[in-house]
């Protein structure tokens, strides 16, 4: 990751008050070791679970509504900002107009970071908070200090500038609310100017259900279905690791090569149906992929979970009686059972 521009502004506002004050830094922050370290920490926090995605409701913006797309159109051109400091100041000032409408919201530090990764340009806008800490002076005396809280992000967004500027219809905005209450996440979404947000975990679960529905509709044998689900899971995992969106068409291409073009078209047809209405691209939440390759269920007295490819092999299911026959019991469980039978 190569940082192109970086600047931090302070927003002063107390909870319970409406008035907010912007303390704007006049020039960009230097891209030094401290900036690189903080940027890496922000990125790691951002890529944790709980991400939502979207796109600008009005990509070029207008005088009414959110000004973020307007300011990007004004200041970002040919993969660089003509005046990043001024862009960030105007953007921060616009942020205040939404912040002042929420008494429960408090101020913090607005972090603007434009960076390039593998030829693609991104912009982070992150609300960071300060916290109280203890420092140690040169004479080993203890003192109270304020430091940036890096255990969690309050509110943050990342825009794929390259995708936005090219007119991409995908969901090029990703954002997180952390533990911010709904009233705060609402004004942050309005500030972004985002259309209907999509939660990555929910979209991933829809993909899992879509994969199962396709296998059932095409009456794909259990073993082949499990192999297909495993490949889909691997594709999703790879995209999650790369922090890139997964294209539904890529899965359809795998269907075409593994089964047939007709079945690939069927997969896309189901994806576009009213029941699923899948986006062309989704961001993957790894934790939501488990049902692709594992079967699980629980009651008050019993919890069971196993890899789906064991079904038909070491685990047999009788649909008529609704019973499972487990042929290879885990050794630790087997020992417990044997000790009880003595």
């Amino acid at each position: 990751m190569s940082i192109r521009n970086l600047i931090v502004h302070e927003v002063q506002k107390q909870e319970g008050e409406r008035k907010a004050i912007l303390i704007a830094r006049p020039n960009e922050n230097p891209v030094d070791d401290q900036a690189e370290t903080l940027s890496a920490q922000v990125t790691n926090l951002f890529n944790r679970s709980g991400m939502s995605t979207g796109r600008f409701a009005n990509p070029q913006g207008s005088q009414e509504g959110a000004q973020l797309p307007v300011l990007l159109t004004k200041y970002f051109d040919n993969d660089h900002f003509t005046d990043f400091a001024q862009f960030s100041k105007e953007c921060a000032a616009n942020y205040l107009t939404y912040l002042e409408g929420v008494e429960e919201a408090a101020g913090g530090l607005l972090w603007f970071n434009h960076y390039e990764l593998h030829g693609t340009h991104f912009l982070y806008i992150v609300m960071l908070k300060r916290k109280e800490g203890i420092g140690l002076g040169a004479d080993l005396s203890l003192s109270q200090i304020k430091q940036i809280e890096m255990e969690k992000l309050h509110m943050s967004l990342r825009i794929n500038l390259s995708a936005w500027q090219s007119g991409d219809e995908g969901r090029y905005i990703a954002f997180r609310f952390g533990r911010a209450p709904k009233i705060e996440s609402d004004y942050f979404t309005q500030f972004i100017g985002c259309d209907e947000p999509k939660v990555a975990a929910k979209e991933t679960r829809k993909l899992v259900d879509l994969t199962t529905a396709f296998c059932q509709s095409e009456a794909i044998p259990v073993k082949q279905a499990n192999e297909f689900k495993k490949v889909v899971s691997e594709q999703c995992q790879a995209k999650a690791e790369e922090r890139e969106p997964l294209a539904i068409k890529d899965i359809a291409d795998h269907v075409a090569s593994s089964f047939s073009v007709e079945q690939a078209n069927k997969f896309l047809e189901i994806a576009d149906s009213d029941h699923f209405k899948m986006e062309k691209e989704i961001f993957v939440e790894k934790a939501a992929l488990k049902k692709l390759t594992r079967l699980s269920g629980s009651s008050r007295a019993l919890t069971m979970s196993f890899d789906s490819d064991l079904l038909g092999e070491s685990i047999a299911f009788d649909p008529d009686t609704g019973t499972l026959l487990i042929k290879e019991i885990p050794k630790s469980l087997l020992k417990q059972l044997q000790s009880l039978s003595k």
Side-chain angles (χ1 to χ4, degrees):
M1 181 173 71
S2 173
I3 299 176
R4 294 296 191 89
N5 307 96
L6 177 68
I7 196 167
V8 182
H9 302 300
E10 182 176 5
V11 176
Q12 295 182 347
K13 180 181 180 300
Q14 299 297 321
E15 289 186 25
E17 299 179 1
R18 288 190 176 272
K19 182 64 176 177
I21 299 173
L22 174 64
I23 309 298
R25 181 182 168 89
N27 303 309
E28 295 181 34
N29 290 75
V31 181
D32 51 20
D33 290 344
Q34 288 84 358
E36 295 277 5
T37 299
L38 183 57
S39 181
Q41 291 177 317
V42 168
T43 299
N44 288 334
L45 287 171
F46 188 85
N47 287 315
R48 291 180 180 176
S49 60
M51 188 183 296
S52 298
T53 61
R55 62 176 72 86
F56 288 130
N58 187 340
Q60 276 68 51
S62 63
Q63 293 307 310
E64 292 79 31
Q67 293 301 292
L68 180 54
V70 176
L71 294 172
L72 285 173
T73 301
K74 178 180 178 181
Y75 287 103
F76 187 73
D77 185 41
N78 291 326
D79 294 337
H80 78 279
F81 282 91
T82 54
D83 190 337
F84 189 72
Q86 186 60 31
F87 159 76
S88 66
K89 290 175 193 174
E90 293 184 30
C91 195
N94 180 244
Y95 175 81
L96 258 64
T97 64
Y98 292 92
L99 181 70
E100 289 181 327
V102 184
E103 287 188 5
E104 297 86 342
L109 303 171
L110 271 180
W111 157 281
F112 292 81
N113 179 10
H114 165 217
Y115 69 92
E116 181 184 358
L117 181 64
H118 305 314
T120 301
H121 290 257
F122 295 89
L123 172 70
Y124 269 130
I125 302 178
V126 180
M127 170 58 78
L128 298 171
K129 297 287 187 176
R130 285 195 178 99
K131 68 174 184 179
E132 297 292 333
I134 297 177
L136 197 63
D139 60 351
L140 302 183
S141 61
L142 299 175
S143 61
Q144 199 78 15
I145 62 171
K146 284 191 174 182
Q147 58 193 70
I148 298 175
E149 183 180 44
M150 291 308 300
E151 290 80 14
K152 60 185 178 181
L153 293 182
H154 188 62
M155 291 184 292
S156 52
L157 74 94
R158 181 185 65 203
I159 304 171
N160 184 327
L161 296 171
S162 299
W164 162 74
Q165 194 166 59
S166 68
D168 194 318
E169 295 182 357
R171 307 188 75 78
Y172 45 77
I173 302 174
F175 51 100
R176 291 171 48 85
F177 298 133
R179 295 183 179 179
K182 187 176 187 302
I183 192 169
E184 291 194 44
S185 61
D186 284 347
Y187 86 73
F188 193 67
T189 304
Q190 293 168 7
F191 159 70
I192 299 171
C194 183
D195 69 348
E196 182 185 359
K198 299 290 185 182
V199 180
K202 184 177 179 180
E203 292 298 291
T204 304
R205 287 193 292 269
K206 280 173 61 178
L207 174 62
V208 170
D209 293 341
L210 164 63
T211 305
T212 300
F214 165 73
C215 292
Q216 291 174 345
S217 71
E218 297 301 292
I220 297 175
V222 173
K223 188 172 183 179
Q224 284 183 285
N226 287 338
E227 290 174 353
F228 172 58
K229 291 177 182 179
K230 186 176 181 180
V231 171
V232 173
S233 178
E234 289 171 350
Q235 285 184 285
C236 289
Q237 295 276 0
K239 289 297 183 181
E241 292 293 335
E242 295 168 0
R243 305 182 181 101
E244 293 181 355
L246 171 78
I248 301 301
K249 186 180 179 301
D250 289 345
I251 298 178
D253 290 341
H254 177 72
V255 173
S257 61
S258 299
F259 302 108
S260 69
V261 174
E262 291 75 16
Q263 286 174 302
N265 291 333
K266 180 66 176 179
F267 178 85
L268 291 174
E269 181 183 320
I270 297 173
D272 290 335
S273 67
D274 291 338
H275 182 73
F276 289 102
K277 294 182 179 178
M278 293 294 299
E279 296 286 335
K280 292 180 180 179
E281 293 182 340
I282 67 167
F283 280 90
V284 174
E285 185 75 62
K286 289 194 289 185
L289 290 171
K290 290 181 180 179
K291 287 187 177 180
L292 265 179
T293 55
R294 290 189 70 81
L295 298 173
S296 62
S298 63
S299 64
R300 180 171 295 182
L302 175 67
T303 297
M304 183 174 292
S305 176
F306 56 89
D307 287 346
S308 56
D309 56 9
L310 295 179
L311 196 62
E313 298 294 333
S314 61
I315 297 179
F317 173 62
D318 187 337
D320 295 328
T321 60
T323 57
L324 282 176
L325 174 62
I326 304 175
K327 300 177 183 178
E328 296 178 9
I329 300 174
K331 290 182 179 180
S332 59
L333 177 57
L334 181 59
K335 287 182 178 179
Q336 294 177 61
L337 294 172
Q338 289 172 335
S339 66
L340 291 173
S341 65
K342 292 180 180 179

